[in-house]
Coordinates of all heavy atoms in Angstrom, one line a residue:
M99 N 53.3 122.8 91.1 CA 54.5 121.9 90.8 C 54.9 122.1 89.3 O 54.1 121.9 88.4 CB 54.1 120.4 91.1 CG 55.2 119.5 90.9 SD 54.9 117.9 91.7 CE 53.2 117.6 91.2
R100 N 56.1 122.3 89.1 CA 56.6 122.6 87.8 C 56.9 121.3 87.0 O 57.4 120.3 87.6 CB 57.9 123.4 87.8 CG 58.3 124.1 86.6 CD 59.4 125.1 86.8 NE 60.6 124.4 87.2 CZ 61.5 124.0 86.3 NH1 61.4 124.2 85.0 NH2 62.6 123.3 86.7
W101 N 56.6 121.3 85.7 CA 56.8 120.1 84.9 C 57.9 120.4 83.9 O 57.7 121.1 82.9 CB 55.5 119.8 84.2 CG 55.6 118.6 83.3 CD1 55.5 118.6 81.9 CD2 55.8 117.2 83.6 NE1 55.6 117.3 81.4 CE2 55.8 116.5 82.4 CE3 56.0 116.6 84.9 CZ2 56.0 115.1 82.5 CZ3 56.2 115.2 84.9 CH2 56.2 114.5 83.7
G102 N 59.1 119.9 84.2 CA 60.2 120.2 83.3 C 61.5 119.9 84.0 O 61.6 119.7 85.2
G103 N 62.5 120.0 83.1 CA 63.9 119.9 83.6 C 64.3 118.6 84.3 O 63.9 117.6 83.8
R104 N 65.0 118.7 85.4 CA 65.6 117.5 86.0 C 64.5 116.6 86.5 O 64.7 115.4 86.5 CB 66.5 118.0 87.2 CG 67.7 118.8 86.7 CD 68.4 119.4 87.9 NE 69.0 118.4 88.7 CZ 70.3 118.1 88.7 NH1 71.1 118.7 87.8 NH2 70.8 117.2 89.5
R105 N 63.4 117.1 87.0 CA 62.3 116.2 87.4 C 61.8 115.3 86.3 O 61.7 114.1 86.6 CB 61.2 117.1 88.0 CG 60.0 116.2 88.5 CD 58.9 117.1 89.1 NE 57.8 116.3 89.4 CZ 57.7 115.5 90.5 NH1 58.8 115.4 91.3 NH2 56.7 114.7 90.7
V106 N 61.7 115.8 85.2 CA 61.2 115.0 84.0 C 62.3 114.0 83.7 O 62.0 112.8 83.4 CB 60.9 115.9 82.8 CG1 60.7 115.0 81.6 CG2 59.7 116.7 83.0
A107 N 63.5 114.4 83.7 CA 64.6 113.4 83.4 C 64.6 112.2 84.4 O 64.8 111.1 84.0 CB 66.0 114.1 83.5
R108 N 64.3 112.5 85.6 CA 64.2 111.4 86.6 C 63.0 110.5 86.4 O 63.1 109.3 86.4 CB 64.2 112.0 88.0 CG 64.4 110.9 89.1 CD 64.5 111.6 90.5 NE 63.3 112.1 91.0 CZ 63.0 113.4 91.2 NH1 64.0 114.3 90.9 NH2 61.9 113.8 91.6
L109 N 61.9 111.1 86.1 CA 60.7 110.4 85.8 C 60.8 109.5 84.5 O 60.4 108.4 84.5 CB 59.5 111.3 85.6 CG 59.0 112.0 86.9 CD1 57.9 113.0 86.6 CD2 58.5 111.0 87.9
R110 N 61.5 110.1 83.5 CA 61.7 109.3 82.3 C 62.5 108.0 82.6 O 62.2 107.0 82.1 CB 62.5 110.2 81.3 CG 61.6 111.2 80.6 CD 62.4 112.3 80.0 NE 63.6 111.9 79.3 CZ 63.6 111.6 78.0 NH1 62.6 111.8 77.3 NH2 64.7 111.2 77.4
A111 N 63.6 108.2 83.4 CA 64.4 107.1 83.8 C 63.6 106.0 84.6 O 63.7 104.8 84.4 CB 65.6 107.5 84.6
Q112 N 62.7 106.5 85.4 CA 61.9 105.6 86.2 C 60.9 104.8 85.3 O 60.7 103.6 85.4 CB 61.1 106.3 87.3 CG 61.9 106.8 88.4 CD 61.1 107.6 89.4 OE1 59.9 107.8 89.3 NE2 61.7 108.1 90.5
V113 N 60.3 105.5 84.4 CA 59.3 104.9 83.5 C 60.0 103.8 82.6 O 59.4 102.7 82.5 CB 58.7 106.0 82.6 CG1 58.0 105.4 81.4 CG2 57.7 106.9 83.4
V114 N 61.2 104.1 82.1 CA 61.9 103.1 81.3 C 62.3 101.9 82.1 O 62.2 100.8 81.7 CB 63.1 103.8 80.7 CG1 64.0 102.7 80.0 CG2 62.7 104.8 79.6
A115 N 62.7 102.2 83.4 CA 63.1 101.1 84.3 C 61.9 100.2 84.6 O 62.1 98.9 84.7 CB 63.7 101.6 85.5
V116 N 60.8 100.7 84.8 CA 59.6 99.9 85.2 C 58.8 99.4 84.0 O 58.4 98.2 84.0 CB 58.6 100.8 86.0 CG1 57.3 100.1 86.3 CG2 59.3 101.3 87.3
Y117 N 58.7 100.1 82.9 CA 57.8 99.7 81.8 C 58.5 99.4 80.5 O 57.9 99.0 79.5 CB 56.7 100.8 81.6 CG 55.9 101.1 82.8 CD1 56.0 102.3 83.5 CD2 54.9 100.1 83.2 CE1 55.2 102.5 84.6 CE2 54.2 100.4 84.3 CZ 54.3 101.6 85.0 OH 53.5 101.8 86.1
G118 N 59.8 99.7 80.5 CA 60.6 99.5 79.2 C 60.4 100.6 78.3 O 60.0 101.7 78.7
T119 N 60.6 100.3 77.0 CA 60.6 101.4 76.0 C 59.6 101.2 74.9 O 59.7 101.8 73.9 CB 62.0 101.5 75.4 OG1 62.3 100.3 74.7 CG2 63.1 101.9 76.4
R120 N 58.6 100.4 75.2 CA 57.5 100.2 74.2 C 56.4 101.3 74.4 O 55.9 101.5 75.4 CB 56.9 98.8 74.3 CG 56.0 98.5 73.1 CD 55.6 97.0 73.2 NE 56.7 96.1 73.0 CZ 57.2 95.7 71.8 NH1 56.7 96.2 70.7 NH2 58.2 94.8 71.8
C121 N 56.2 102.0 73.3 CA 55.2 103.1 73.3 C 53.8 102.6 73.7 O 53.3 101.7 73.1 CB 55.2 103.8 71.9 SG 53.9 105.0 71.7
V122 N 53.2 103.3 74.7 CA 51.9 102.9 75.2 C 50.8 103.1 74.1 O 49.8 102.5 74.2 CB 51.6 103.7 76.4 CG1 51.3 105.2 76.1 CG2 50.4 103.1 77.2
H123 N 51.1 103.9 73.1 CA 50.1 104.2 72.1 C 50.2 103.3 70.9 O 49.2 102.7 70.5 CB 50.2 105.7 71.7 CG 49.8 106.6 72.8 ND1 48.6 106.6 73.4 CD2 50.5 107.6 73.4 CE1 48.6 107.6 74.3 NE2 49.7 108.1 74.4
C124 N 51.4 103.3 70.3 CA 51.5 102.6 69.0 C 52.1 101.2 69.1 O 52.0 100.4 68.2 CB 52.3 103.4 68.0 SG 54.0 103.5 68.3
G125 N 52.7 100.9 70.3 CA 53.2 99.6 70.5 C 54.6 99.4 70.0 O 55.2 98.3 70.1
E126 N 55.2 100.4 69.3 CA 56.5 100.2 68.8 C 57.6 100.6 69.8 O 57.3 101.4 70.8 CB 56.7 101.1 67.5 CG 55.7 100.8 66.4 CD 56.0 99.4 65.9 OE1 57.1 98.9 65.8 OE2 55.0 98.7 65.5
L127 N 58.8 100.1 69.7 CA 59.8 100.5 70.6 C 60.3 101.9 70.4 O 60.4 102.4 69.3 CB 61.0 99.5 70.5 CG 60.7 98.0 70.9 CD1 61.9 97.2 70.7 CD2 60.3 98.0 72.4
I128 N 60.7 102.5 71.5 CA 61.2 103.9 71.4 C 62.7 103.9 71.5 O 63.3 103.2 72.4 CB 60.7 104.7 72.6 CG1 59.1 104.7 72.6 CG2 61.2 106.1 72.6 CD1 58.5 105.2 73.9
D129 N 63.4 104.5 70.5 CA 64.8 104.6 70.5 C 65.3 105.7 71.4 O 65.1 106.9 71.2 CB 65.3 104.9 69.0 CG 66.8 104.8 68.9 OD1 67.5 104.8 69.9 OD2 67.3 104.8 67.7
L130 N 66.0 105.2 72.5 CA 66.4 106.2 73.5 C 67.6 107.1 73.0 O 67.9 108.1 73.7 CB 66.8 105.5 74.8 CG 65.7 104.7 75.5 CD1 66.2 104.0 76.8 CD2 64.5 105.6 75.8
T131 N 68.2 106.7 71.9 CA 69.2 107.6 71.4 C 68.7 108.8 70.6 O 69.4 109.7 70.3 CB 70.2 106.8 70.5 OG1 69.5 106.4 69.3 CG2 70.7 105.6 71.2
V132 N 67.3 108.7 70.3 CA 66.7 109.8 69.7 C 66.4 110.9 70.7 O 65.9 110.7 71.8 CB 65.4 109.4 69.0 CG1 64.6 110.6 68.4 CG2 65.6 108.3 67.9
P133 N 66.7 112.2 70.4 CA 66.5 113.3 71.3 C 65.0 113.4 71.7 O 64.1 113.1 70.9 CB 66.9 114.5 70.5 CG 67.8 114.0 69.5 CD 67.4 112.6 69.1
S134 N 64.8 113.7 73.0 CA 63.4 113.7 73.5 C 62.6 114.8 72.8 O 61.4 114.8 72.9 CB 63.4 113.9 75.0 OG 64.0 115.1 75.3
T135 N 63.3 115.7 72.1 CA 62.6 116.8 71.4 C 62.1 116.3 70.0 O 61.4 117.0 69.3 CB 63.5 118.0 71.3 OG1 64.7 117.6 70.7 CG2 63.7 118.7 72.7
S136 N 62.6 115.2 69.6 CA 62.3 114.6 68.3 C 60.9 113.9 68.4 O 60.5 113.4 69.4 CB 63.3 113.6 67.8 OG 62.8 112.7 66.9
P137 N 60.1 113.9 67.3 CA 58.8 113.2 67.3 C 58.9 111.8 67.7 O 58.0 111.2 68.3 CB 58.4 113.3 65.8 CG 59.0 114.6 65.3 CD 60.4 114.6 66.0
M138 N 60.0 111.1 67.4 CA 60.2 109.7 67.7 C 60.9 109.5 69.1 O 61.3 108.4 69.5 CB 60.9 108.9 66.6 CG 60.1 108.9 65.3 SD 58.5 108.2 65.5 CE 58.8 106.5 65.7
G139 N 61.2 110.6 69.8 CA 61.9 110.5 71.1 C 60.9 110.1 72.2 O 59.7 110.0 72.0
L140 N 61.5 109.8 73.3 CA 60.7 109.3 74.5 C 60.0 110.5 75.1 O 60.6 111.5 75.5 CB 61.7 108.6 75.5 CG 61.1 108.3 76.8 CD1 60.0 107.2 76.7 CD2 62.1 107.8 77.8
S141 N 58.7 110.2 75.4 CA 57.9 111.2 76.1 C 57.2 110.4 77.3 O 56.9 109.3 77.1 CB 56.9 111.8 75.2 OG 56.0 112.7 76.0
V142 N 57.1 111.1 78.4 CA 56.4 110.5 79.5 C 54.9 110.8 79.4 O 54.5 112.0 79.4 CB 56.9 111.0 80.9 CG1 56.1 110.4 82.0 CG2 58.4 110.5 81.0
E143 N 54.1 109.8 79.3 CA 52.6 109.9 79.1 C 52.0 109.7 80.5 O 52.3 108.8 81.2 CB 52.1 108.9 78.1 CG 50.6 108.9 77.9 CD 50.1 110.1 77.3 OE1 50.1 111.2 78.0 OE2 49.7 110.1 76.1
H144 N 50.9 110.5 80.7 CA 50.1 110.3 81.9 C 48.9 109.6 81.6 O 48.1 110.0 80.7 CB 49.8 111.7 82.5 CG 50.9 112.4 83.1 ND1 51.9 113.0 82.4 CD2 51.3 112.6 84.4 CE1 52.8 113.6 83.2 NE2 52.4 113.3 84.5
L145 N 48.6 108.5 82.2 CA 47.4 107.7 81.9 C 46.2 108.6 82.3 O 45.2 108.7 81.5 CB 47.3 106.4 82.8 CG 48.4 105.4 82.4 CD1 48.1 104.1 83.3 CD2 48.3 105.0 81.0
Q146 N 46.2 109.2 83.4 CA 45.2 110.2 83.8 C 45.9 111.6 83.6 O 46.9 111.9 84.3 CB 44.7 110.0 85.2 CG 43.6 111.0 85.6 CD 43.1 110.8 87.0 OE1 43.7 110.1 87.8 NE2 42.0 111.4 87.3
P147 N 45.4 112.4 82.7 CA 46.1 113.7 82.5 C 46.2 114.5 83.7 O 45.3 114.5 84.6 CB 45.2 114.3 81.4 CG 44.4 113.2 80.8 CD 44.3 112.2 81.9
R148 N 47.3 115.2 83.8 CA 47.5 116.1 84.9 C 46.4 117.1 85.0 O 46.1 117.6 86.1 CB 48.9 116.7 84.8 CG 50.0 115.7 84.9 CD 51.4 116.3 84.6 NE 51.9 116.9 85.8 CZ 52.2 118.2 86.0 NH1 52.1 119.0 85.0 NH2 52.7 118.7 87.1
S149 N 45.9 117.5 83.8 CA 44.8 118.5 83.8 C 43.6 118.0 84.4 O 42.7 118.7 84.8 CB 44.6 119.0 82.4 OG 44.1 117.9 81.6
Q150 N 43.5 116.6 84.6 CA 42.3 116.0 85.2 C 42.6 115.4 86.5 O 42.0 114.5 87.0 CB 41.7 114.9 84.2 CG 41.2 115.5 82.9 CD 40.8 114.4 82.0 OE1 40.5 113.3 82.3 NE2 40.7 114.8 80.7
G151 N 43.7 115.9 87.1 CA 44.0 115.5 88.5 C 45.0 114.3 88.6 O 45.3 113.8 89.6
G152 N 45.5 113.9 87.4 CA 46.5 112.8 87.4 C 47.8 113.3 88.1 O 48.2 114.5 88.1
T153 N 48.5 112.3 88.7 CA 49.7 112.6 89.4 C 51.0 112.2 88.6 O 50.9 111.6 87.6 CB 49.8 111.9 90.8 OG1 50.0 110.5 90.5 CG2 48.5 112.1 91.5
D154 N 52.1 112.5 89.1 CA 53.4 112.1 88.5 C 53.9 110.8 89.2 O 55.0 110.4 89.0 CB 54.5 113.2 88.7 CG 54.2 114.4 87.9 OD1 53.4 114.3 86.9 OD2 54.7 115.5 88.2
D155 N 53.0 110.1 89.9 CA 53.4 108.8 90.4 C 53.7 107.9 89.3 O 53.0 107.9 88.2 CB 52.2 108.3 91.3 CG 52.6 107.1 92.1 OD1 52.5 106.0 91.6 OD2 53.1 107.2 93.2
I156 N 54.6 106.9 89.5 CA 55.0 106.0 88.5 C 53.9 105.2 88.0 O 53.8 104.8 86.8 CB 56.2 105.1 89.0 CG1 56.8 104.3 87.8 CG2 55.7 104.2 90.1 CD1 57.5 105.1 86.8
T157 N 52.9 104.9 88.8 CA 51.7 104.1 88.4 C 50.8 104.8 87.4 O 50.0 104.2 86.7 CB 50.9 103.7 89.6 OG1 50.4 104.8 90.3 CG2 51.7 102.8 90.5
N158 N 51.0 106.2 87.3 CA 50.2 106.9 86.4 C 51.0 107.3 85.1 O 50.5 108.0 84.2 CB 49.7 108.2 87.0 CG 48.7 109.0 86.2 OD1 47.7 108.3 85.7 ND2 48.8 110.3 86.1
L159 N 52.2 106.8 85.0 CA 53.1 107.2 83.9 C 53.4 106.0 83.0 O 53.5 104.9 83.5 CB 54.4 107.8 84.4 CG 54.3 109.0 85.3 CD1 55.6 109.4 85.9 CD2 53.6 110.1 84.6
R160 N 53.5 106.2 81.7 CA 53.9 105.2 80.7 C 54.8 105.9 79.7 O 54.6 107.1 79.4 CB 52.7 104.6 80.0 CG 51.8 103.8 80.9 CD 52.4 102.6 81.5 NE 51.5 101.7 82.2 CZ 51.1 101.9 83.5 NH1 51.5 103.0 84.1 NH2 50.2 101.1 84.0
P161 N 55.7 105.1 79.0 CA 56.5 105.6 77.9 C 55.7 105.8 76.7 O 54.8 104.9 76.4 CB 57.6 104.5 77.8 CG 56.9 103.3 78.2 CD 56.0 103.7 79.3
S162 N 55.9 106.8 75.9 CA 55.3 106.9 74.6 C 56.3 107.8 73.7 O 57.1 108.5 74.2 CB 54.0 107.6 74.7 OG 54.1 109.0 74.8
H163 N 56.1 107.6 72.4 CA 56.7 108.6 71.5 C 56.2 110.0 71.7 O 55.0 110.1 72.0 CB 56.5 108.2 70.0 CG 57.1 106.8 69.6 ND1 56.3 105.7 69.4 CD2 58.4 106.5 69.4 CE1 57.2 104.7 69.0 NE2 58.4 105.1 69.1
L164 N 57.0 110.9 71.5 CA 56.5 112.3 71.6 C 55.4 112.6 70.6 O 54.3 113.2 71.0 CB 57.7 113.3 71.4 CG 57.3 114.8 71.4 CD1 56.7 115.1 72.8 CD2 58.5 115.7 71.1
H165 N 55.5 112.1 69.4 CA 54.5 112.4 68.4 C 53.2 111.6 68.7 O 52.1 112.1 68.5 CB 55.0 112.1 67.0 CG 54.8 110.7 66.5 ND1 53.7 110.2 65.8 CD2 55.6 109.6 66.8 CE1 53.9 108.9 65.6 NE2 55.0 108.5 66.1
C166 N 53.3 110.4 69.3 CA 52.1 109.7 69.7 C 51.4 110.4 70.9 O 50.2 110.4 70.9 CB 52.5 108.2 70.1 SG 53.0 107.2 68.7
N167 N 52.2 110.9 71.8 CA 51.7 111.6 73.0 C 50.9 112.8 72.5 O 49.8 113.1 72.9 CB 52.8 112.0 73.9 CG 52.4 112.5 75.2 OD1 51.2 112.9 75.4 ND2 53.3 112.5 76.2
T168 N 51.5 113.5 71.5 CA 50.9 114.7 71.0 C 49.7 114.4 70.2 O 48.7 115.1 70.3 CB 51.9 115.4 70.0 OG1 53.1 115.7 70.8 CG2 51.4 116.7 69.5
A169 N 49.7 113.3 69.4 CA 48.6 112.9 68.6 C 47.4 112.5 69.4 O 46.2 112.7 69.0 CB 49.0 111.8 67.6
R170 N 47.7 112.0 70.6 CA 46.6 111.5 71.5 C 45.7 112.6 71.9 O 44.5 112.5 71.9 CB 47.2 110.8 72.7 CG 46.1 110.4 73.7 CD 46.8 110.2 75.1 NE 45.7 109.9 76.1 CZ 45.9 110.1 77.4 NH1 47.1 110.5 77.8 NH2 45.0 109.9 78.2
Q171 N 46.4 113.7 72.3 CA 45.7 114.9 72.8 C 44.7 114.5 74.0 O 45.2 113.9 74.9 CB 44.9 115.6 71.7 CG 45.9 116.2 70.7 CD 45.2 117.0 69.6 OE1 44.0 116.8 69.3 NE2 46.0 117.8 68.9
A172 N 43.4 114.7 73.8 CA 42.5 114.4 74.9 C 41.9 113.0 74.8 O 41.0 112.6 75.6 CB 41.5 115.4 75.0
R173 N 42.3 112.2 73.8 CA 41.7 110.9 73.6 C 42.1 110.0 74.7 O 43.3 110.1 75.2 CB 42.0 110.3 72.3 CG 41.2 110.9 71.2 CD 41.6 110.2 69.8 NE 42.9 110.6 69.4 CZ 43.5 110.1 68.3 NH1 42.9 109.2 67.6 NH2 44.7 110.5 67.9
P174 N 41.3 109.0 75.1 CA 41.7 108.1 76.2 C 42.8 107.2 75.7 O 42.9 106.9 74.5 CB 40.4 107.3 76.5 CG 39.6 107.4 75.2 CD 39.9 108.8 74.7
I175 N 43.6 106.7 76.7 CA 44.6 105.7 76.4 C 44.0 104.5 75.8 O 42.9 104.0 76.2 CB 45.3 105.3 77.7 CG1 46.2 106.4 78.2 CG2 46.2 104.0 77.5 CD1 47.6 106.5 77.5
G176 N 44.5 104.0 74.7 CA 44.0 102.8 74.1 C 43.2 103.1 72.8 O 42.9 102.2 72.0
A177 N 42.9 104.3 72.6 CA 42.0 104.7 71.4 C 42.8 104.4 70.1 O 42.2 103.8 69.2 CB 41.7 106.2 71.5
I178 N 44.1 104.7 70.1 CA 44.8 104.5 68.9 C 45.0 103.0 68.7 O 44.8 102.5 67.6 CB 46.2 105.2 69.0 CG1 46.0 106.7 69.0 CG2 47.1 104.8 67.8 CD1 47.3 107.5 69.3
R179 N 45.4 102.3 69.8 CA 45.6 100.9 69.7 C 44.4 100.1 69.3 O 44.4 99.2 68.5 CB 46.2 100.4 71.1 CG 46.8 99.0 71.1 CD 47.3 98.7 72.4 NE 46.3 98.8 73.4 CZ 46.2 99.8 74.3 NH1 47.1 100.7 74.3 NH2 45.3 99.8 75.2
R180 N 43.3 100.4 69.9 CA 42.0 99.7 69.6 C 41.6 100.0 68.1 O 41.2 99.1 67.5 CB 40.9 100.2 70.5 CG 40.9 99.5 71.9 CD 39.6 99.7 72.6 NE 39.4 101.1 72.9 CZ 39.8 101.7 74.0 NH1 40.5 101.1 74.9 NH2 39.6 103.0 74.3
A181 N 41.9 101.2 67.7 CA 41.6 101.5 66.3 C 42.4 100.6 65.3 O 42.0 100.3 64.2 CB 41.9 103.0 66.0
E182 N 43.6 100.2 65.8 CA 44.5 99.3 65.0 C 44.3 97.9 65.3 O 45.0 97.0 64.8 CB 45.9 99.8 65.2 CG 46.2 101.2 64.7 CD 47.6 101.7 65.0 OE1 48.3 100.9 65.6 OE2 48.0 102.7 64.5
G183 N 43.4 97.5 66.2 CA 43.1 96.1 66.5 C 44.2 95.5 67.4 O 44.4 94.3 67.3
R184 N 45.0 96.3 68.1 CA 46.0 95.8 68.9 C 45.5 95.3 70.3 O 44.5 95.8 70.7 CB 47.1 96.8 69.2 CG 47.8 97.3 67.9 CD 48.8 98.4 68.2 NE 49.4 98.9 67.0 CZ 50.6 98.5 66.5 NH1 51.2 97.5 67.2 NH2 51.1 98.9 65.5
P185 N 46.2 94.3 70.9 CA 45.7 93.8 72.2 C 45.9 94.9 73.3 O 46.7 95.9 73.1 CB 46.7 92.7 72.5 CG 47.9 93.0 71.6 CD 47.4 93.7 70.4
D186 N 45.1 94.7 74.3 CA 45.1 95.8 75.4 C 46.1 95.4 76.4 O 45.8 94.8 77.4 CB 43.7 95.8 76.0 CG 43.6 96.9 77.0 OD1 44.5 97.8 77.1 OD2 42.5 97.0 77.7
W187 N 47.4 95.8 76.2 CA 48.4 95.6 77.1 C 48.9 96.8 77.8 O 49.7 96.8 78.7 CB 49.6 94.9 76.4 CG 50.0 95.7 75.2 CD1 49.7 95.3 73.9 CD2 50.8 96.9 75.1 NE1 50.2 96.2 73.0 CE2 50.8 97.2 73.7 CE3 51.4 97.7 76.0 CZ2 51.5 98.4 73.2 CZ3 52.0 98.9 75.5 CH2 52.0 99.2 74.2
A188 N 48.3 98.0 77.4 CA 48.9 99.2 77.8 C 48.9 99.5 79.3 O 49.8 100.2 79.8 CB 48.2 100.4 77.1
T189 N 47.9 99.0 80.0 CA 47.9 99.3 81.4 C 48.6 98.3 82.3 O 48.5 98.4 83.5 CB 46.4 99.4 81.9 OG1 45.7 98.2 81.5 CG2 45.7 100.6 81.1
R190 N 49.2 97.4 81.7 CA 50.0 96.4 82.4 C 51.5 96.8 82.3 O 51.9 97.2 81.2 CB 49.8 95.0 81.9 CG 48.4 94.5 82.0 CD 48.3 93.0 81.9 NE 48.9 92.5 80.6 CZ 48.3 92.4 79.5 NH1 47.0 92.6 79.4 NH2 48.9 92.0 78.4
P191 N 52.3 96.5 83.3 CA 53.7 96.8 83.2 C 54.3 95.9 82.1 O 54.0 94.7 82.0 CB 54.3 96.3 84.6 CG 53.1 96.4 85.5 CD 51.9 96.0 84.7
G192 N 55.2 96.5 81.3 CA 55.9 95.8 80.3 C 57.1 95.1 80.8 O 57.5 95.2 82.0
R193 N 57.8 94.4 79.9 CA 59.0 93.7 80.3 C 60.2 94.6 80.1 O 60.4 95.0 78.9 CB 59.2 92.4 79.5 CG 58.2 91.3 79.9 CD 58.4 90.1 79.0 NE 58.1 90.5 77.6 CZ 58.2 89.6 76.6 NH1 58.6 88.4 76.8 NH2 57.9 90.0 75.4
A194 N 60.8 95.0 81.1 CA 61.9 95.9 81.0 C 63.1 95.2 80.3 O 63.4 94.1 80.6 CB 62.4 96.4 82.4
G195 N 63.7 95.9 79.4 CA 64.8 95.3 78.6 C 64.2 94.4 77.6 O 64.8 93.6 77.0
Ligands
ZN110 ZN1 54.3 105.6 69.5

């Protein structure tokens, strides 16, 4: 299954509709006017990495900044947030809008 192009665009729209635009890693809002190729642009994060059998199902996806997604690498979801003492809200659906 290819990861890119129109499929990603559709998944991004679904993720924003379900979870809003708050970054799963740093907790800051993601500006959707920023290009997705920008570090502060919207990236679709997989809670369970695709390399570890994670799927593209909406329940496995969350919004994140591209740079936060990149910075995470192989660390588990929540590592950045816990390091900053933030509450554990990442695995719950956010308030859209
Ligand atoms: Zn972020």
Side-chain angles (χ1 to χ4, degrees):
M99 183 161 47
R100 198 171 64 91
W101 179 245
R104 297 170 65 99
R105 178 174 175 77
V106 169
R108 190 172 72 248
L109 288 175
R110 284 158 46 92
Q112 289 180 359
V113 165
V114 169
V116 174
Y117 300 108
T119 58
R120 194 172 292 277
C121 174
V122 71
H123 293 299
C124 71
E126 299 297 325
L127 294 178
I128 301 164
D129 185 348
L130 297 181
T131 65
V132 173
S134 60
T135 52
S136 159
M138 295 306 286
L140 171 66
S141 175
V142 174
E143 175 68 286
H144 290 74
L145 293 181
Q146 182 177 14
R148 298 174 81 241
S149 62
Q150 296 176 19
T153 71
D154 292 340
D155 189 274
I156 188 67
T157 59
N158 191 44
L159 303 176
R160 293 296 187 280
S162 81
H163 294 109
L164 178 59
H165 86 96
C166 291
N167 192 339
T168 303
R170 174 199 175 202
Q171 295 182 341
R173 282 184 289 176
I175 289 281
I178 296 174
R179 192 176 58 254
R180 280 194 295 272
E182 296 177 352
R184 294 174 184 269
D186 187 8
W187 48 261
T189 56
R190 298 196 304 268
R193 287 177 298 177

